mmCIF file of all heavy atoms in Angstrom:
data_model
loop_
_atom_site.group_PDB
_atom_site.id
_atom_site.type_symbol
_atom_site.label_atom_id
_atom_site.label_comp_id
_atom_site.label_asym_id
_atom_site.label_seq_id
_atom_site.Cartn_x
_atom_site.Cartn_y
_atom_site.Cartn_z
ATOM 1 N N ILE A 72 14.244 3.609 -3.057
ATOM 2 C CA ILE A 72 13.738 4.038 -4.389
ATOM 3 C C ILE A 72 14.268 5.414 -4.768
ATOM 4 O O ILE A 72 13.861 5.982 -5.763
ATOM 5 C CB ILE A 72 12.193 3.996 -4.461
ATOM 6 C CG1 ILE A 72 11.581 4.889 -3.417
ATOM 7 C CG2 ILE A 72 11.691 2.575 -4.428
ATOM 8 C CD1 ILE A 72 10.056 5.019 -3.523
ATOM 9 N N GLU A 114 -0.501 -4.150 -19.645
ATOM 10 C CA GLU A 114 -0.561 -3.906 -18.202
ATOM 11 C C GLU A 114 -1.254 -5.026 -17.497
ATOM 12 O O GLU A 114 -2.152 -5.701 -17.991
ATOM 13 C CB GLU A 114 -1.276 -2.588 -17.914
ATOM 14 C CG GLU A 114 -0.559 -1.347 -18.455
ATOM 15 C CD GLU A 114 0.894 -1.283 -17.984
ATOM 16 O OE1 GLU A 114 1.142 -1.337 -16.767
ATOM 17 O OE2 GLU A 114 1.821 -1.244 -18.872
ATOM 18 N N ASN A 118 -3.363 -2.301 -13.196
ATOM 19 C CA ASN A 118 -3.013 -1.014 -13.867
ATOM 20 C C ASN A 118 -3.970 -0.800 -15.043
ATOM 21 O O ASN A 118 -3.633 -0.026 -15.964
ATOM 22 C CB ASN A 118 -1.551 -0.997 -14.277
ATOM 23 C CG ASN A 118 -1.000 0.434 -14.430
ATOM 24 O OD1 ASN A 118 -1.594 1.374 -13.874
ATOM 25 N ND2 ASN A 118 0.049 0.559 -15.167
ATOM 26 N N GLY A 142 7.749 -7.004 -27.381
ATOM 27 C CA GLY A 142 7.124 -6.387 -26.181
ATOM 28 C C GLY A 142 7.472 -4.961 -25.990
ATOM 29 O O GLY A 142 7.201 -4.360 -24.951
ATOM 30 N N TYR A 144 7.461 -0.810 -26.775
ATOM 31 C CA TYR A 144 6.553 0.251 -27.175
ATOM 32 C C TYR A 144 7.391 1.392 -27.765
ATOM 33 O O TYR A 144 8.251 1.942 -27.024
ATOM 34 C CB TYR A 144 5.730 0.728 -25.991
ATOM 35 C CG TYR A 144 4.805 -0.307 -25.487
ATOM 36 C CD1 TYR A 144 5.198 -1.248 -24.513
ATOM 37 C CD2 TYR A 144 3.502 -0.400 -25.969
ATOM 38 C CE1 TYR A 144 4.349 -2.225 -24.058
ATOM 39 C CE2 TYR A 144 2.633 -1.396 -25.495
ATOM 40 C CZ TYR A 144 3.057 -2.277 -24.565
ATOM 41 O OH TYR A 144 2.216 -3.251 -24.075
ATOM 42 N N ALA A 161 0.048 5.751 -17.607
ATOM 43 C CA ALA A 161 0.373 4.668 -16.614
ATOM 44 C C ALA A 161 0.976 3.458 -17.278
ATOM 45 O O ALA A 161 0.427 2.955 -18.231
ATOM 46 C CB ALA A 161 -0.906 4.293 -15.829
ATOM 47 N N MET A 162 2.103 3.042 -16.777
ATOM 48 C CA MET A 162 2.827 1.939 -17.425
ATOM 49 C C MET A 162 3.694 1.163 -16.407
ATOM 50 O O MET A 162 4.243 1.736 -15.507
ATOM 51 C CB MET A 162 3.827 2.615 -18.404
ATOM 52 C CG MET A 162 4.614 1.709 -19.280
ATOM 53 S SD MET A 162 3.859 1.833 -20.882
ATOM 54 C CE MET A 162 4.861 1.072 -22.031
ATOM 55 N N ALA A 163 3.755 -0.167 -16.655
ATOM 56 C CA ALA A 163 4.650 -0.955 -15.801
ATOM 57 C C ALA A 163 6.077 -0.799 -16.287
ATOM 58 O O ALA A 163 6.357 -0.808 -17.491
ATOM 59 C CB ALA A 163 4.230 -2.475 -15.933
ATOM 60 N N GLN A 164 7.000 -0.755 -15.339
ATOM 61 C CA GLN A 164 8.412 -0.646 -15.721
ATOM 62 C C GLN A 164 8.859 -1.964 -16.346
ATOM 63 O O GLN A 164 9.658 -2.001 -17.231
ATOM 64 C CB GLN A 164 9.262 -0.286 -14.490
ATOM 65 C CG GLN A 164 10.652 0.123 -14.828
ATOM 66 C CD GLN A 164 11.472 0.560 -13.666
ATOM 67 O OE1 GLN A 164 11.041 0.491 -12.486
ATOM 68 N NE2 GLN A 164 12.648 1.078 -13.885
ATOM 69 N N VAL A 165 8.325 -3.072 -15.817
ATOM 70 C CA VAL A 165 8.584 -4.402 -16.390
ATOM 71 C C VAL A 165 7.268 -5.168 -16.460
ATOM 72 O O VAL A 165 6.529 -5.199 -15.492
ATOM 73 C CB VAL A 165 9.569 -5.184 -15.496
ATOM 74 C CG1 VAL A 165 9.675 -6.640 -15.924
ATOM 75 C CG2 VAL A 165 10.926 -4.542 -15.489
ATOM 76 N N SER A 166 6.960 -5.755 -17.655
ATOM 77 C CA SER A 166 5.717 -6.513 -17.816
ATOM 78 C C SER A 166 5.829 -7.860 -17.057
ATOM 79 O O SER A 166 6.861 -8.536 -17.157
ATOM 80 C CB SER A 166 5.448 -6.750 -19.289
ATOM 81 O OG SER A 166 4.674 -7.888 -19.476
ATOM 82 N N ASN A 167 4.724 -8.237 -16.404
ATOM 83 C CA ASN A 167 4.720 -9.512 -15.667
ATOM 84 C C ASN A 167 4.572 -10.705 -16.658
ATOM 85 O O ASN A 167 4.657 -11.837 -16.208
ATOM 86 C CB ASN A 167 3.690 -9.583 -14.605
ATOM 87 C CG ASN A 167 2.251 -9.393 -15.140
ATOM 88 O OD1 ASN A 167 2.022 -8.543 -15.977
ATOM 89 N ND2 ASN A 167 1.355 -10.243 -14.728
ATOM 90 N N GLY A 170 8.222 -9.493 -19.535
ATOM 91 C CA GLY A 170 9.491 -9.228 -18.774
ATOM 92 C C GLY A 170 10.291 -8.035 -19.201
ATOM 93 O O GLY A 170 11.093 -7.520 -18.465
ATOM 94 N N ILE A 171 10.048 -7.560 -20.413
ATOM 95 C CA ILE A 171 10.941 -6.550 -20.971
ATOM 96 C C ILE A 171 10.928 -5.239 -20.188
ATOM 97 O O ILE A 171 9.822 -4.676 -19.956
ATOM 98 C CB ILE A 171 10.632 -6.347 -22.492
ATOM 99 C CG1 ILE A 171 11.663 -5.538 -23.179
ATOM 100 C CG2 ILE A 171 9.250 -5.807 -22.732
ATOM 101 C CD1 ILE A 171 11.664 -5.751 -24.689
ATOM 102 N N PRO A 172 12.094 -4.700 -19.797
ATOM 103 C CA PRO A 172 12.119 -3.399 -19.087
ATOM 104 C C PRO A 172 11.832 -2.240 -20.052
ATOM 105 O O PRO A 172 12.303 -2.271 -21.193
ATOM 106 C CB PRO A 172 13.513 -3.281 -18.515
ATOM 107 C CG PRO A 172 14.199 -4.588 -18.862
ATOM 108 C CD PRO A 172 13.434 -5.294 -19.936
ATOM 109 N N LYS A 173 11.069 -1.276 -19.628
ATOM 110 C CA LYS A 173 10.686 -0.162 -20.492
ATOM 111 C C LYS A 173 11.516 1.091 -20.189
ATOM 112 O O LYS A 173 11.903 1.305 -19.059
ATOM 113 C CB LYS A 173 9.194 0.182 -20.283
ATOM 114 C CG LYS A 173 8.316 -0.977 -20.027
ATOM 115 C CD LYS A 173 7.578 -1.296 -21.264
ATOM 116 C CE LYS A 173 6.502 -2.320 -21.052
ATOM 117 N NZ LYS A 173 6.062 -2.547 -19.698
ATOM 118 N N PRO A 174 11.735 1.918 -21.201
ATOM 119 C CA PRO A 174 12.470 3.192 -21.017
ATOM 120 C C PRO A 174 11.572 4.241 -20.360
ATOM 121 O O PRO A 174 11.197 5.222 -21.019
ATOM 122 C CB PRO A 174 12.892 3.575 -22.435
ATOM 123 C CG PRO A 174 11.846 2.960 -23.323
ATOM 124 C CD PRO A 174 11.322 1.743 -22.626
ATOM 125 N N ILE A 175 11.245 4.028 -19.103
ATOM 126 C CA ILE A 175 10.308 4.934 -18.417
ATOM 127 C C ILE A 175 10.718 6.384 -18.435
ATOM 128 O O ILE A 175 9.913 7.280 -18.571
ATOM 129 C CB ILE A 175 10.076 4.410 -16.935
ATOM 130 C CG1 ILE A 175 9.421 3.024 -16.940
ATOM 131 C CG2 ILE A 175 9.255 5.439 -16.167
ATOM 132 C CD1 ILE A 175 7.992 2.955 -17.405
ATOM 133 N N LYS A 176 12.026 6.610 -18.306
ATOM 134 C CA LYS A 176 12.552 7.990 -18.230
ATOM 135 C C LYS A 176 12.157 8.697 -19.537
ATOM 136 O O LYS A 176 11.736 9.915 -19.475
ATOM 137 C CB LYS A 176 14.088 7.907 -18.080
ATOM 138 C CG LYS A 176 14.703 9.196 -17.741
ATOM 139 C CD LYS A 176 16.172 8.964 -17.479
ATOM 140 C CE LYS A 176 16.884 10.296 -17.347
ATOM 141 N NZ LYS A 176 18.262 10.107 -16.860
ATOM 142 N N TYR A 178 9.618 7.860 -21.526
ATOM 143 C CA TYR A 178 8.165 8.025 -21.532
ATOM 144 C C TYR A 178 7.744 9.190 -20.654
ATOM 145 O O TYR A 178 6.808 9.966 -20.986
ATOM 146 C CB TYR A 178 7.483 6.767 -21.051
ATOM 147 C CG TYR A 178 7.691 5.505 -21.870
ATOM 148 C CD1 TYR A 178 7.559 4.254 -21.342
ATOM 149 C CD2 TYR A 178 8.033 5.620 -23.256
ATOM 150 C CE1 TYR A 178 7.728 3.101 -22.106
ATOM 151 C CE2 TYR A 178 8.228 4.520 -24.036
ATOM 152 C CZ TYR A 178 8.058 3.245 -23.466
ATOM 153 O OH TYR A 178 8.254 2.111 -24.209
ATOM 154 N N MET A 189 3.102 10.869 -14.885
ATOM 155 C CA MET A 189 3.617 9.553 -15.233
ATOM 156 C C MET A 189 3.449 8.652 -14.003
ATOM 157 O O MET A 189 4.038 8.879 -12.968
ATOM 158 C CB MET A 189 5.127 9.670 -15.608
ATOM 159 C CG MET A 189 5.742 8.399 -16.085
ATOM 160 S SD MET A 189 5.284 8.083 -17.787
ATOM 161 C CE MET A 189 5.062 6.289 -17.798
ATOM 162 N N VAL A 190 2.632 7.627 -14.164
ATOM 163 C CA VAL A 190 2.353 6.673 -13.112
ATOM 164 C C VAL A 190 3.107 5.336 -13.471
ATOM 165 O O VAL A 190 2.834 4.793 -14.541
ATOM 166 C CB VAL A 190 0.855 6.371 -12.959
ATOM 167 C CG1 VAL A 190 0.579 5.356 -11.829
ATOM 168 C CG2 VAL A 190 0.071 7.666 -12.728
ATOM 169 N N VAL A 191 3.972 4.900 -12.570
ATOM 170 C CA VAL A 191 4.782 3.722 -12.896
ATOM 171 C C VAL A 191 4.403 2.563 -11.968
ATOM 172 O O VAL A 191 4.398 2.696 -10.773
ATOM 173 C CB VAL A 191 6.295 4.023 -12.830
ATOM 174 C CG1 VAL A 191 7.083 2.840 -13.236
ATOM 175 C CG2 VAL A 191 6.612 5.257 -13.629
ATOM 176 N N ASP A 192 4.120 1.371 -12.581
ATOM 177 C CA ASP A 192 3.890 0.188 -11.819
ATOM 178 C C ASP A 192 5.252 -0.544 -11.721
ATOM 179 O O ASP A 192 5.739 -1.065 -12.709
ATOM 180 C CB ASP A 192 2.848 -0.660 -12.572
ATOM 181 C CG ASP A 192 2.694 -2.085 -11.986
ATOM 182 O OD1 ASP A 192 3.472 -2.469 -11.107
ATOM 183 O OD2 ASP A 192 1.756 -2.747 -12.411
ATOM 184 N N GLY A 193 5.781 -0.520 -10.479
ATOM 185 C CA GLY A 193 7.122 -1.132 -10.294
ATOM 186 C C GLY A 193 7.065 -2.504 -9.669
ATOM 187 O O GLY A 193 8.089 -2.961 -9.149
ATOM 188 N N ALA A 194 5.927 -3.199 -9.780
ATOM 189 C CA ALA A 194 5.787 -4.491 -9.096
ATOM 190 C C ALA A 194 6.824 -5.474 -9.560
ATOM 191 O O ALA A 194 7.374 -6.238 -8.743
ATOM 192 C CB ALA A 194 4.375 -5.062 -9.319
ATOM 193 N N GLN A 195 7.174 -5.460 -10.852
ATOM 194 C CA GLN A 195 8.137 -6.440 -11.383
ATOM 195 C C GLN A 195 9.537 -5.902 -11.577
ATOM 196 O O GLN A 195 10.408 -6.671 -11.953
ATOM 197 C CB GLN A 195 7.596 -7.030 -12.692
ATOM 198 C CG GLN A 195 6.298 -7.802 -12.630
ATOM 199 C CD GLN A 195 6.432 -9.122 -11.812
ATOM 200 O OE1 GLN A 195 7.537 -9.584 -11.536
ATOM 201 N NE2 GLN A 195 5.313 -9.702 -11.430
ATOM 202 N N SER A 196 9.691 -4.624 -11.342
ATOM 203 C CA SER A 196 11.053 -4.084 -11.500
ATOM 204 C C SER A 196 11.832 -4.019 -10.155
ATOM 205 O O SER A 196 12.996 -4.409 -10.101
ATOM 206 C CB SER A 196 11.006 -2.698 -12.132
ATOM 207 O OG SER A 196 10.215 -1.803 -11.389
ATOM 208 N N THR A 197 11.131 -3.536 -9.133
ATOM 209 C CA THR A 197 11.840 -3.338 -7.827
ATOM 210 C C THR A 197 12.578 -4.598 -7.326
ATOM 211 O O THR A 197 13.646 -4.413 -6.688
ATOM 212 C CB THR A 197 10.879 -2.808 -6.766
ATOM 213 O OG1 THR A 197 9.648 -3.461 -6.857
ATOM 214 C CG2 THR A 197 10.653 -1.321 -6.898
ATOM 215 N N PRO A 198 12.080 -5.805 -7.506
ATOM 216 C CA PRO A 198 12.826 -6.940 -6.987
ATOM 217 C C PRO A 198 14.127 -7.210 -7.754
ATOM 218 O O PRO A 198 14.987 -7.941 -7.279
ATOM 219 C CB PRO A 198 11.877 -8.150 -7.199
ATOM 220 C CG PRO A 198 10.529 -7.545 -7.412
ATOM 221 C CD PRO A 198 10.770 -6.249 -8.063
ATOM 222 N N MET A 200 15.974 -4.790 -10.106
ATOM 223 C CA MET A 200 16.913 -3.718 -10.626
ATOM 224 C C MET A 200 16.838 -2.500 -9.736
ATOM 225 O O MET A 200 15.841 -2.209 -9.087
ATOM 226 C CB MET A 200 16.523 -3.316 -12.061
ATOM 227 C CG MET A 200 15.096 -2.851 -12.203
ATOM 228 S SD MET A 200 14.614 -2.621 -13.942
ATOM 229 C CE MET A 200 14.636 -4.251 -14.572
ATOM 230 N N LYS A 201 17.938 -1.739 -9.738
ATOM 231 C CA LYS A 201 18.005 -0.534 -8.940
ATOM 232 C C LYS A 201 17.033 0.463 -9.552
ATOM 233 O O LYS A 201 17.058 0.712 -10.710
ATOM 234 C CB LYS A 201 19.480 -0.015 -8.988
ATOM 235 C CG LYS A 201 19.683 1.243 -8.145
ATOM 236 C CD LYS A 201 19.703 0.983 -6.696
ATOM 237 C CE LYS A 201 19.480 2.231 -5.847
ATOM 238 N NZ LYS A 201 18.464 2.164 -4.827
ATOM 239 N N VAL A 202 16.200 1.010 -8.668
ATOM 240 C CA VAL A 202 15.216 1.974 -9.152
ATOM 241 C C VAL A 202 15.522 3.324 -8.562
ATOM 242 O O VAL A 202 15.850 3.467 -7.347
ATOM 243 C CB VAL A 202 13.800 1.510 -8.637
ATOM 244 C CG1 VAL A 202 12.833 2.675 -8.652
ATOM 245 C CG2 VAL A 202 13.276 0.374 -9.540
ATOM 246 N N SER A 203 15.433 4.360 -9.377
ATOM 247 C CA SER A 203 15.502 5.737 -8.861
ATOM 248 C C SER A 203 14.278 6.514 -9.398
ATOM 249 O O SER A 203 14.223 6.805 -10.582
ATOM 250 C CB SER A 203 16.771 6.424 -9.294
ATOM 251 O OG SER A 203 16.660 7.827 -9.059
ATOM 252 N N VAL A 204 13.330 6.773 -8.482
ATOM 253 C CA VAL A 204 12.138 7.506 -8.918
ATOM 254 C C VAL A 204 12.510 8.904 -9.425
ATOM 255 O O VAL A 204 11.831 9.419 -10.285
ATOM 256 C CB VAL A 204 11.050 7.543 -7.825
ATOM 257 C CG1 VAL A 204 10.459 6.189 -7.588
ATOM 258 C CG2 VAL A 204 11.579 8.162 -6.549
ATOM 259 N N ASP A 206 15.446 9.769 -10.892
ATOM 260 C CA ASP A 206 16.085 9.707 -12.198
ATOM 261 C C ASP A 206 15.045 9.444 -13.300
ATOM 262 O O ASP A 206 15.086 10.092 -14.352
ATOM 263 C CB ASP A 206 17.176 8.612 -12.205
ATOM 264 C CG ASP A 206 17.886 8.569 -13.545
ATOM 265 O OD1 ASP A 206 18.447 9.612 -13.907
ATOM 266 O OD2 ASP A 206 17.796 7.575 -14.224
ATOM 267 N N MET A 207 14.122 8.513 -13.055
ATOM 268 C CA MET A 207 13.113 8.303 -14.102
ATOM 269 C C MET A 207 12.041 9.387 -14.144
ATOM 270 O O MET A 207 11.286 9.478 -15.054
ATOM 271 C CB MET A 207 12.501 6.925 -13.947
ATOM 272 C CG MET A 207 11.524 6.756 -12.805
ATOM 273 S SD MET A 207 10.688 5.149 -12.742
ATOM 274 C CE MET A 207 11.987 4.127 -12.062
ATOM 275 N N ALA A 209 9.392 9.763 -12.180
ATOM 276 C CA ALA A 209 7.994 9.268 -12.013
ATOM 277 C C ALA A 209 7.265 10.248 -11.137
ATOM 278 O O ALA A 209 7.841 10.781 -10.147
ATOM 279 C CB ALA A 209 8.053 7.900 -11.398
ATOM 280 N N PHE A 212 4.849 6.041 -8.188
ATOM 281 C CA PHE A 212 5.534 4.767 -8.404
ATOM 282 C C PHE A 212 4.996 3.770 -7.378
ATOM 283 O O PHE A 212 5.037 4.049 -6.181
ATOM 284 C CB PHE A 212 7.055 4.979 -8.247
ATOM 285 C CG PHE A 212 7.846 3.729 -8.575
ATOM 286 C CD1 PHE A 212 8.362 3.557 -9.866
ATOM 287 C CD2 PHE A 212 8.107 2.745 -7.629
ATOM 288 C CE1 PHE A 212 9.112 2.385 -10.194
ATOM 289 C CE2 PHE A 212 8.845 1.641 -7.881
ATOM 290 C CZ PHE A 212 9.336 1.431 -9.211
ATOM 291 N N ALA A 213 4.440 2.636 -7.860
ATOM 292 C CA ALA A 213 3.802 1.672 -6.987
ATOM 293 C C ALA A 213 4.574 0.358 -6.961
ATOM 294 O O ALA A 213 5.064 -0.083 -8.015
ATOM 295 C CB ALA A 213 2.398 1.433 -7.487
ATOM 296 N N PHE A 214 4.683 -0.255 -5.802
ATOM 297 C CA PHE A 214 5.188 -1.637 -5.770
ATOM 298 C C PHE A 214 4.682 -2.402 -4.553
ATOM 299 O O PHE A 214 4.164 -1.834 -3.620
ATOM 300 C CB PHE A 214 6.722 -1.677 -5.873
ATOM 301 C CG PHE A 214 7.510 -1.159 -4.705
ATOM 302 C CD1 PHE A 214 7.980 -2.008 -3.747
ATOM 303 C CD2 PHE A 214 7.778 0.210 -4.565
ATOM 304 C CE1 PHE A 214 8.736 -1.535 -2.647
ATOM 305 C CE2 PHE A 214 8.504 0.703 -3.498
ATOM 306 C CZ PHE A 214 8.996 -0.200 -2.543
ATOM 307 N N GLU A 324 16.573 -9.369 -21.772
ATOM 308 C CA GLU A 324 15.377 -8.539 -21.676
ATOM 309 C C GLU A 324 14.200 -9.232 -20.956
ATOM 310 O O GLU A 324 13.097 -8.740 -20.898
ATOM 311 C CB GLU A 324 14.924 -8.144 -23.105
ATOM 312 C CG GLU A 324 15.864 -7.086 -23.632
ATOM 313 C CD GLU A 324 15.660 -6.822 -25.118
ATOM 314 O OE1 GLU A 324 15.002 -7.581 -25.803
ATOM 315 O OE2 GLU A 324 16.187 -5.828 -25.586
ATOM 316 N N VAL A 326 14.185 -10.316 -17.713
ATOM 317 C CA VAL A 326 14.150 -10.049 -16.231
ATOM 318 C C VAL A 326 13.686 -11.318 -15.478
ATOM 319 O O VAL A 326 12.817 -11.248 -14.591
ATOM 320 C CB VAL A 326 13.296 -8.804 -15.913
ATOM 321 C CG1 VAL A 326 13.533 -8.339 -14.490
ATOM 322 C CG2 VAL A 326 13.600 -7.696 -16.880
#
Side-chain angles (χ1 to χ4, degrees):
I72 58 172
E114 294 308 304
N118 203 20
Y144 294 88
M162 183 106 168
Q164 194 176 6
V165 170
S166 154
N167 61 313
I171 190 160
K173 320 260 190 17
I175 295 290
K176 192 173 171 171
Y178 296 157
M189 185 77 218
V190 181
V191 184
D192 171 351
Q195 296 293 346
S196 57
T197 41
M200 58 187 65
K201 182 74 197 131
V202 160
S203 166
V204 290
D206 182 59
M207 72 175 78
F212 185 92
F214 69 97
E324 288 169 346
V326 194

